[in-house]
Amino acid sequence: MRIVLCQIVSGPDPKANLELVADGVRKAAEAGADLAVFPEATMACFGIKLGPLAEPLDGPWATAVRRLAEEAGIAVVAGMFTPTEDGRVTNTLLITGRGLDTSYDKIHLFDAFGFAESNTVAPGAQPVVVDLDGTKIGLTTCYDVRFPGLFTTLADQGASVIVTSASWGSGEGKREQWELLVRARALDSTSWVVACGQADPRSIGREPSGKAPTGIGYSLVATPLGQVHAQLADAPEVRVVDIDPAAVDQARQAVPVLANRRF
């Protein structure tokens, strides 16, 4: 399976961010990719009011992403915000293209390190696994990566590849935590973990403000045995990565942690 990591820096304007999606999808299609993965908050960066720009899944932003995916003939994962009845938004991953059209709402909200995502974002409740040409893919978002139970649940539901789209918060030790957590979740679930984050805004001369998690870069792909298969730096980049889903069966035979669990 050929996957493209589209590590971008989203801005506050959803229309401008669509241009970043279009560029990444074009490059992914030219590379013969099956799946292009964009970060959490692709639609608009954190640190702004999300309510006024949130759109339903049949709104113009998601519809434009669907069109890009269909024209390119690939599947696309991209983070967006959808409205809720209580005035907050939902932190949503849209996955569309190649016969797919569904979404995942972030379950674990980032109420940590002095930030309270739940003030403006409503949590999801349902794990999501999709089938892309015979390979089952689980969907997770950012802070979800700190919760191994979600990853083992996705593996129990058949996922051999788990996508983690993120806009990781900066700070002392946060880069190390990001890599450690991605690799650990791959080991927990004996699955490929494809983790695509927002690039560091400072890498393009944009100084982040406040406590909003606006990204650090360092997207990576971890093997089912927790090795780093590919890793980016802090700046925007589109990276082609080939993975072998058959490695999951080999890992689960060698280290049957899912079968051996007691709790």
Side-chain angles (χ1 to χ4, degrees):
M1 173 177 279
R2 176 159 288 184
I3 296 173
V4 172
L5 298 172
C6 299
Q7 180 173 279
I8 62 172
V9 177
S10 295
D13 181 2
K15 290 183 179 180
N17 295 329
L18 269 178
E19 296 179 10
L20 299 177
V21 176
D23 181 64
V25 169
R26 176 183 57 79
K27 291 176 179 176
E30 290 174 351
D34 303 293
L35 174 66
V37 180
F38 289 84
E40 175 187 27
T42 294
M43 181 187 197
C45 61
F46 285 112
I48 61 173
K49 290 184 178 181
L50 300 174
L53 57 80
E55 295 181 6
L57 287 165
D58 60 355
W61 198 87
T63 298
V65 175
R66 285 190 190 93
R67 184 177 65 252
L68 290 169
E70 287 299 323
E71 290 174 352
I74 64 173
V76 175
V77 174
M80 60 178 295
F81 300 102
T82 54
T84 67
E85 293 182 357
D86 68 3
R88 293 183 291 176
V89 301
T90 301
N91 189 337
T92 298
L93 289 183
L94 172 69
I95 180 165
T96 186
R98 295 281 275 267
L100 298 172
D101 189 13
T102 190
S103 62
Y104 164 70
D105 295 334
K106 185 178 181 182
I107 292 174
H108 301 100
L109 300 182
F110 183 55
D111 289 356
F113 294 100
F115 189 77
E117 186 177 13
S118 63
N119 286 345
T120 56
V121 178
Q126 187 65 40
V128 173
V129 175
V130 300
D131 191 315
L132 176 60
D133 301 334
T135 298
K136 290 191 175 181
I137 300 174
L139 300 174
T140 65
T141 304
C142 204
Y143 194 51
D144 281 336
V145 79
R146 293 185 181 272
F147 299 89
L150 177 56
F151 284 71
T152 55
T153 295
L154 293 169
D156 287 340
Q157 294 180 0
S160 58
V161 178
I162 299 175
V163 168
T164 301
S165 292
S167 184
W168 200 251
S170 61
E172 184 178 356
K174 293 296 295 298
R175 174 188 163 187
E176 291 81 3
Q177 291 174 32
W178 165 246
E179 180 180 320
L180 176 63
L181 288 162
V182 171
R183 296 176 68 184
R185 297 298 81 82
L187 283 167
D188 292 334
S189 60
T190 43
S191 302
W192 289 95
V193 175
V194 177
C196 184
Q198 291 274 348
D200 189 336
R202 286 167 289 222
S203 69
I204 62 167
R206 183 189 302 167
E207 193 65 28
S209 60
K211 295 180 179 179
T214 51
I216 63 167
Y218 295 97
S219 300
L220 71 148
V221 176
T223 74
L225 292 177
Q227 297 171 308
V228 175
H229 183 66
Q231 188 168 40
L232 282 61
D234 61 339
E237 182 180 350
V238 175
R239 175 76 65 87
V240 178
V241 182
D242 290 319
I243 67 171
D244 181 6
V248 171
D249 291 335
Q250 298 166 6
R252 291 178 182 176
Q253 290 175 10
V255 191
V257 291
L258 295 171
N260 292 344
R261 279 176 298 171
R262 295 289 300 277
F263 302 98

